[in-house]
Amino acid sequence: MTSNVDALEATLLAEISAAGDLAAIEAVRVSALGKKGRVSELMSTLGALPPDARKAFGQTVNALKDRVTAALGERKDALEAAALAQRLATERADVTLPVRSGPEARGRIHPVSQVLDEVIEIFAGLGFAVAEGPDIETDDNNFTKLNIPAEHPARQDHDTFYLAPGPDGVRKVLRTHTSPVQIRTMLAQKPPIRIIAPGRVYRCDSDQTHTPMFHQVEGLVIDETTHMGHLKWTLEAFAKAFFEVDEVKMRFRASHFPFTEPSMEVDIGAEAIGKPGQWLEILGCGMVHPNVIANCGLDPERYQGFAFGVGLDRLTMLKYGIPDLRQFFAGDIRWLSHYGFSVLDVPTTGGGLSN
Ligand code: 2NL
């Protein structure tokens, strides 16, 4: 009997070491330890033995089973390690090599995408989170909650694209600014709020300096004590970081927006882009109107803050000296290879935004 066990063990161990891959190992396991396997069959001969021999035989077969199981496990581990070593050797990527010539190397990041990454990097460093929302908005989020009621003249100024009415007869709009993203944030979160909302916006307007779709970044800070000093410091910090200059001249001109009070337009001294003596308008801003805060379910007696809106496309033209807005959206590969950025040129405030 014992010689049967020894012979089977020798056969199985030989099969195990000959198994060349994981499928072969599994086949040996099934044919040895499976329900109808050779070890299991040996165990089923137990009943035919005289009772005083059964115990010793059972222990012998169980010990065989343990040794076969251990050998299967070892072989499986060795095969897996070899397979991994093989993959590591063949799939190795040297990330220090230059990009291969071809489409990967020719690909360019659109200047507006690059500038968006720069703006996000700057505001992230100031503790702002990035918020996003849908391009198709309700009239309520795009206008009413922003203190622009029906029949308000600003509705006409915005040259809104209206969608066909839905089954409920309600017309949605293509958002005319990213303010509705900030409205959604105020409705969903308790202050302190510190966000920027970048994205596409739409106005039914098209000429030399206007395209029906353009890009905007708005910012919003709501807290209990946030005041205009914080607004001015934040915008100055942004302008210096964005134009990569140590000092920037700024001019805050009184203006009007329905959603802020007071409201201002901001110019920077054009020395920032190497044109001394001129002023450049870069953004609009103000303290969030108490009506807007109340419309979002917050107590305007307790909460206050500032907001601003900046056109990304214009900012891009100023920083990178790009003359014609309409080329931004023409999809001309020659224009993109000239003005676009390498995929490896990821802006960071520490490592340099541009260059
Ligand atoms: C401009 C002016 C601005 C805002 C946008 C804003 C958003 C909320 C509340 C209050 Cl939710 N204000 N946004 C404020 C002032 C100006 O944009 O000329 N953009 C290009």
Side-chain angles (χ1 to χ4, degrees):
M1 261 337 231
T2 333
S3 68
N4 273 356
V5 175
D6 290 343
L8 179 56
E9 178 165 7
T11 310
L12 290 176
L13 293 181
E15 286 178 20
I16 289 168
S17 51
D21 57 31
L22 293 172
I25 272 289
E26 177 61 9
V28 178
R29 190 192 64 79
V30 171
S31 82
L33 306 177
K35 243 195 187 114
K36 297 235 164 81
R38 286 166 282 175
V39 176
S40 316
E41 264 170 9
L42 209 53
M43 199 58 116
S44 68
T45 63
L46 198 71
L49 292 179
D52 57 343
R54 284 182 199 166
K55 187 175 174 201
F57 184 71
Q59 280 171 348
T60 307
V61 177
N62 271 332
L64 166 67
K65 200 167 164 181
D66 290 346
R67 287 193 299 278
V68 170
T69 305
L72 283 166
E74 265 170 44
R75 184 72 187 137
K76 195 170 169 215
D77 288 348
L79 286 170
E80 279 171 348
L84 180 62
Q86 166 82 11
R87 278 191 61 193
L88 287 173
T90 55
E91 296 176 16
R92 184 168 48 200
D94 183 349
V95 295
T96 66
L97 289 172
V99 180
R100 284 186 202 92
S101 63
E104 295 92 339
R106 282 199 304 276
R108 284 294 176 270
I109 303 293
H110 194 287
V112 173
S113 300
Q114 185 78 10
V115 163
L116 174 60
D117 288 345
E118 294 179 16
V119 171
I120 289 174
E121 177 69 17
I122 294 166
F123 280 105
L126 297 176
F128 285 71
V130 175
E132 289 183 307
D135 291 18
I136 296 173
E137 264 295 359
T138 61
D139 189 273
D140 187 49
N141 284 341
N142 194 77
F143 291 120
T144 314
K145 286 221 165 17
L146 283 155
N147 201 34
I148 315 175
E151 311 312 323
H152 191 285
R155 293 217 179 198
Q156 270 89 63
D157 297 347
H158 279 233
D159 302 308
T160 314
F161 284 112
Y162 284 92
L163 277 73
D168 52 0
V170 177
R171 287 196 302 178
K172 288 195 168 183
V173 303
L174 289 181
R175 65 182 181 192
T176 58
H177 41 201
T178 59
S179 313
V181 178
Q182 336 237 63
I183 294 293
R184 287 168 178 271
T185 305
M186 281 192 277
L187 287 166
Q189 283 172 218
K190 281 222 138 301
I193 291 171
R194 216 188 281 144
I195 54 161
I196 55 167
R200 294 186 168 136
V201 299
Y202 307 83
R203 294 187 193 179
C204 188
D205 192 357
S206 185
D207 61 31
Q208 292 261 341
T209 55
H210 297 88
T211 48
M213 185 282 294
F214 57 103
H215 300 88
Q216 200 193 18
V217 178
E218 288 208 9
L220 177 74
V221 174
I222 301 282
D223 208 333
E224 297 189 15
T225 56
T226 301
H227 55 68
M228 217 147 87
H230 297 129
L231 167 60
K232 294 178 82 169
W233 183 90
T234 303
L235 293 179
E236 185 178 329
F238 167 70
K240 287 198 275 199
F242 181 75
F243 289 105
E244 304 180 53
V245 290
D246 292 330
E247 290 304 326
V248 69
K249 281 204 286 182
M250 290 190 102
R251 183 165 83 169
F252 288 77
R253 282 180 291 108
S255 183
H256 178 266
F257 305 111
F259 29 79
T260 45
E261 181 57 40
S263 304
M264 288 153 291
E265 280 171 313
V266 180
D267 302 337
I268 60 161
E271 354 335 58
I273 58 162
K275 292 185 181 170
Q278 297 176 44
W279 290 99
L280 300 167
E281 183 182 330
I282 59 162
L283 54 84
C285 63
M287 299 305 293
V288 179
H289 197 294
N291 290 353
V292 176
I293 294 182
N295 290 343
C296 295
L298 299 173
D299 178 3
E301 296 293 331
R302 178 168 176 200
Y303 295 115
Q304 59 182 38
F306 66 76
F308 56 88
V310 39
L312 266 191
D313 310 281
R314 183 172 149 74
L315 221 48
T316 304
M317 295 171 78
L318 289 175
K319 179 162 181 177
Y320 291 111
I322 306 176
D324 182 1
L325 174 72
R326 287 168 302 180
Q327 286 301 309
F328 277 54
F329 310 111
D332 184 336
I333 201 81
R334 295 163 305 174
W335 181 88
L336 191 60
S337 5
H338 181 78
Y339 286 111
F341 291 80
S342 156
V343 290
L344 297 175
D345 186 8
V346 179
T348 63
T349 45
L353 287 174
S354 60
N355 69 61

